[in-house]
Amino acid sequence: MEFGSLVPKIPKLLKDSSVDNISRLPDEILSHIFSFLSTVEVVRTSILSKRWKHVWSLAPNLDFNDHFGFSPVDEAKFRLFKDYVDNVLFHHGGLDIKKFCLQCATSPHIYAWISAVLSCNVEELTIKSSFIDTCKELPWNLFTCKTLVSLRIDGGFILNLPYYVCFPCLKKLHLDSLIYVDDSSMQRLFSSCLVLEELYLRRARGDCVVIANIMIPSLKRLYLFVPTLELLANHDYKTNINAPYLELLQISDSASKNYSVNFSVSLVEAQILGRCPFLLEGISNVQVLKLSGETMENWHSLNSKWPTFHNLFHLELGLSHLDGWKLLSHLLNSSPNLETLGLVEPIGYGGYSYGFYWIPPDSVPVCLLECLESIEIHNFADRRCEIFLVKYMLLHAEVLEELTIHWRSDIKCSKKTELVSSIQQEILNIPRRSEGCEIKFI
């Protein structure tokens, strides 16, 4: 067999460099190609030839960004942006839109643009306002869109809902700094999301919600961020979460005084940041748990019985102030099946006396004797408390395979090579309960 016979025959059409082969592609393929380009790049193809004059309108994704954040009072600049959006939507001719993203200053035109897009069977819709001090309402037909799968709204929009609200296909909902008419408007919105799986909710000061009801049976992932809200006379902020199939929870709440939760059975991973309310009972079945230093500090002030985290195998803690060190013993005792432990030291604490406040557990935790295989300590410095902790772990962890120590950046980059070497040698000389344990310094 000759080698030439293995080379595929190239059609004569492709050999002719003068032929525009891309223009001969079917509209479906061109539309797919356009999905990887920005709207500006797609529109520019209209100058290529007569054939391309209107082909760009097949693009399934439209992305508009004023890039400057100028307000409508900058008439000259904003009119250029407005005319550009109007022309693209007009020439798109009502064809289906898969993704539509609009980032611009709040203006009356947003209402019309969104209404036009909703008639094009849009699946993913993103609306971002550059100015949150000029609140505007959204078109009511947004809240009955049957094709939306993903919806993101950022900015000071007022959520004034129509009588009937329904999102039959919506799976992802991202709400950032919206203003709600009252408690019931938020509850009605969430109850209308029949198949919602992911909710990102960032509240804002003065959003008019006192009791936040997040009751979504289908929800699997919840990202909730609540800043310090305005004080209301005789009213305490409260959050109710009813999501029996929730798998991931990321929360930072500095306002709610009371919580009611229903998701403990299904929860796999929880990340709790800031000064959050006491949620220990609600996350007792979690498998991966991450707690910030502020959370540790706040929880230490609450005198409640700690639950047992039977399913917890990965734990990350922020050791802020003394409370993080004190709670470390509680969590080790409460996590009999813990396999990996990550500790993050605060940056900026000097001196040696700080660390002596950590008191080891009265008895060796079960996890150290049976399960704990990996420990990572970040922002490690020359504090004696850290040496004390490392020594305790090495002396008692029977199945420990790896201890990784990440030096604090200022020490790592400094010229204190003698100090670093002496600390490393001191740690390496500590007897190890687990003979196979490897110690790494990074």
Side-chain angles (χ1 to χ4, degrees), residues 241-296:
I241 304 176
N242 186 359
Y245 297 103
L246 193 68
E247 298 175 358
L248 185 149
L249 172 67
Q250 183 173 326
I251 181 172
S252 176
D253 190 336
S254 301
S256 299
K257 299 296 184 181
N258 193 8
Y259 256 72
S260 174
V261 298
N262 174 28
F263 50 63
S264 62
V265 175
S266 60
L267 196 63
V268 175
E269 180 178 348
Q271 182 175 354
I272 304 179
L273 313 170
R275 302 183 62 85
C276 288
F278 203 56
L279 287 173
L280 282 175
E281 293 293 339
I283 61 173
S284 59
N285 285 319
V286 74
Q287 298 178 28
V288 177
L289 179 60
K290 302 176 184 180
L291 302 176
S292 71
E294 285 184 288
T295 305
M296 300 281 284

Side-chain angles (χ1 to χ4, degrees), residues 63-83:
D63 188 347
F64 301 104
N65 190 335
D66 61 22
H67 294 292
F68 302 105
F70 44 75
S71 67
V73 296
D74 303 322
E75 294 184 4
K77 294 180 179 179
F78 191 79
R79 181 167 293 280
L80 290 175
F81 177 74
K82 173 189 174 299
D83 291 344

Side-chain angles (χ1 to χ4, degrees), residues 421-436:
S421 298
S422 64
I423 295 174
Q424 289 187 184
Q425 193 58 48
E426 181 179 357
I427 293 175
L428 291 173
N429 290 336
I430 297 174
R432 306 172 201 179
R433 185 69 174 267
S434 174
E435 295 181 357

Side-chain angles (χ1 to χ4, degrees), residues 358 360-361 363-365 368 388-397:
W358 183 66
S363 59
V364 181
L368 267 68
F388 185 43
L389 173 63
V390 168
K391 183 177 181 179
Y392 180 86
M393 293 297 182
L394 290 175
L395 288 174
H396 295 93

Side-chain angles (χ1 to χ4, degrees), residues 368-384:
L368 267 68
L369 299 175
E370 300 179 359
C371 306
L372 192 62
E373 298 178 351
S374 174
I375 300 175
E376 282 199 42
I377 303 177
H378 293 262
N379 298 332
F380 193 87
D382 57 345
R383 295 187 288 265
R384 301 310 303 173

Side-chain angles (χ1 to χ4, degrees), residues 176-180 202-208 225 227-229:
D176 191 338
S177 304
L178 269 64
I179 306 300
Y180 305 86
R202 182 180 293 275
R203 296 184 55 186
R205 289 176 60 87
D207 64 2
C208 301
F225 303 95
T228 302
L229 302 177

Side-chain angles (χ1 to χ4, degrees), residues 2-206:
E2 296 182 2
F3 177 78
S5 62
L6 297 177
V7 180
K9 294 183 178 180
I10 303 176
K12 183 178 180 181
L13 178 65
L14 296 180
K15 292 182 179 179
D16 188 353
S17 59
S18 65
V19 176
D20 181 5
N21 295 300
I22 296 181
S23 297
R24 295 175 179 271
L25 294 174
D27 289 349
E28 293 78 8
I29 297 180
L30 291 176
S31 176
H32 181 69
I33 294 174
F34 287 156
S35 67
F36 297 97
L37 303 177
S38 68
T39 301
V40 173
E41 292 171 327
V42 171
V43 173
R44 285 173 179 169
T45 64
S46 62
I47 66 172
L48 296 178
S49 66
K50 292 182 178 180
R51 155 70 170 149
W52 288 91
K53 187 174 183 180
H54 298 293
V55 170
W56 65 267
S57 63
L58 299 172
N61 304 332
L62 298 179
D63 188 347
F64 301 104
N65 190 335
D66 61 22
H67 294 292
F68 302 105
F70 44 75
S71 67
V73 296
D74 303 322
E75 294 184 4
K77 294 180 179 179
F78 191 79
R79 181 167 293 280
L80 290 175
F81 177 74
K82 173 189 174 299
D83 291 344
Y84 168 61
V85 177
D86 286 342
N87 287 331
V88 172
L89 290 179
F90 175 78
H91 287 98
H92 199 269
L95 297 176
D96 286 354
I97 297 175
K98 184 177 181 180
K99 297 180 182 179
F100 182 84
C101 180
L102 176 64
Q103 303 181 65
C104 68
T106 303
S107 78
H109 305 289
I110 291 181
Y111 194 102
W113 290 334
I114 296 173
S115 296
V117 170
L118 290 173
S119 63
C120 299
N121 299 319
V122 62
E123 296 180 15
E124 300 179 31
L125 177 60
T126 298
I127 310 166
K128 295 182 180 181
S129 172
S130 304
F131 294 85
I132 62 173
D133 57 340
T134 54
C135 301
K136 295 293 181 181
E137 294 186 10
L138 295 165
W140 277 8
N141 57 338
L142 169 63
F143 302 102
T144 55
C145 184
K146 297 180 180 180
T147 58
L148 274 180
V149 176
S150 174
L151 174 61
R152 174 170 181 168
I153 307 174
D154 292 5
F157 292 98
I158 299 176
L159 199 70
N160 184 16
L161 300 176
Y163 176 78
Y164 176 73
V165 183
C166 184
F167 292 104
C169 298
L170 192 65
K171 292 187 177 181
K172 291 184 179 181
L173 179 60
H174 182 121
L175 304 175
D176 191 338
S177 304
L178 269 64
I179 306 300
Y180 305 86
V181 176
D182 51 25
D183 294 357
S184 62
S185 63
M186 177 184 285
Q187 183 175 351
R188 287 181 59 211
L189 175 63
F190 294 153
S191 62
S192 69
C193 302
L194 306 181
V195 294
L196 193 67
E197 296 180 358
E198 179 176 306
L199 172 62
Y200 177 102
L201 176 61
R202 182 180 293 275
R203 296 184 55 186
R205 289 176 60 87

